[in-house]
Amino acid sequence: MIEGNSNGRKWFTALLLSPGMLFTFTYLAVWLSTNFYLDHRFRERLTSEFDTAAGKQYRLTIGDLDTSLELSSLTLKHLELIPVSTNSKELSQPIRIDKLRIACPEIGLFLFRPSKIEMTTRQISQQLLCRCRAAALSMNHEPAPVQPDR
């Protein structure tokens, strides 16, 4: 009876240490770490970069940040772009975006290459500013080519 129990443990240990399981656990750890970083640090960096790029004309609030399972895109949910006006009589309506998916193939490298973070925050801020300039916005944005600045 003891030999059967020991044999099952060996099989279970071999399964856990197999290359497929080790890759899966490592990938899951990188994905979870990336999402944790996005929720805690990247949100602050993106908000401050957007404020700088917008020239204090808009304030950005982000409800949720998420990445795809393939680590190839960034999804921003419940965005609000609030116009900041110096004249209190002119209060513009905030721009609300329920879901915005942005292609970001280097998101998996954020934990390993900090230089990618700065470049990505600048690109995302520019894409958000392009959406601010376009007056008509729908509530659910899917990836689309962004028109260049003129």
Side-chain angles (χ1 to χ4, degrees), residues 1-50:
M1 191 76 172
I2 296 174
E3 291 178 17
N5 192 13
S6 177
N7 195 19
R9 282 189 197 151
K10 288 180 183 177
W11 276 101
F12 186 68
T13 303
L15 175 68
L16 287 178
L17 296 176
S18 68
M21 294 300 282
L22 289 175
F23 175 78
T24 303
F25 290 142
T26 304
Y27 193 83
L28 183 62
V30 168
W31 185 78
L32 288 172
S33 299
T34 301
N35 278 314
F36 183 78
Y37 175 79
L38 288 175
D39 281 338
H40 291 86
R41 301 284 172 115
F42 187 75
R43 177 192 316 254
E44 296 169 8
R45 288 185 99 149
L46 181 59
T47 303
S48 66
E49 178 67 33
F50 180 80

Side-chain angles (χ1 to χ4, degrees), residues 6 24 72 97-98 107:
S6 177
T24 303
S72 62
I97 303 171
D98 282 343
I107 201 165

Side-chain angles (χ1 to χ4, degrees), residues 11-139:
W11 276 101
F12 186 68
T13 303
L15 175 68
L16 287 178
L17 296 176
S18 68
M21 294 300 282
L22 289 175
F23 175 78
T24 303
F25 290 142
T26 304
Y27 193 83
L28 183 62
V30 168
W31 185 78
L32 288 172
S33 299
T34 301
N35 278 314
F36 183 78
Y37 175 79
L38 288 175
D39 281 338
H40 291 86
R41 301 284 172 115
F42 187 75
R43 177 192 316 254
E44 296 169 8
R45 288 185 99 149
L46 181 59
T47 303
S48 66
E49 178 67 33
F50 180 80
D51 289 345
T52 303
K56 302 197 185 228
Q57 294 178 348
Y58 286 94
R59 192 176 74 229
L60 174 68
T61 58
I62 303 170
D64 190 27
L65 286 169
D66 195 14
T67 182
S68 64
L69 197 56
E70 303 88 25
L71 293 173
S72 62
S73 66
L74 179 67
T75 304
L76 299 115
K77 295 179 183 174
H78 309 293
L79 291 171
E80 240 184 17
L81 303 166
I82 304 165
V84 178
S85 65
T86 56
N87 188 354
S88 61
K89 294 179 183 178
E90 291 182 18
L91 292 176
S92 300
Q93 293 292 327
I95 300 169
R96 290 186 178 92
I97 303 171
D98 282 343
K99 183 179 179 183
L100 175 65
R101 181 169 292 151
I102 298 173
C104 186
E106 56 274 326
I107 201 165
L109 302 174
F110 278 6
L111 300 174
F112 309 109
R113 292 190 183 162
S115 62
K116 296 287 185 187
I117 297 168
E118 293 175 25
M119 181 180 64
T120 303
T121 54
R122 270 188 251 119
Q123 289 174 351
I124 293 172
S125 295
Q126 291 301 318
Q127 288 184 14
L128 288 173
L129 280 174
C130 288
R131 294 181 192 281
C132 289
R133 292 179 191 132
L137 292 173
S138 66
M139 294 302 284

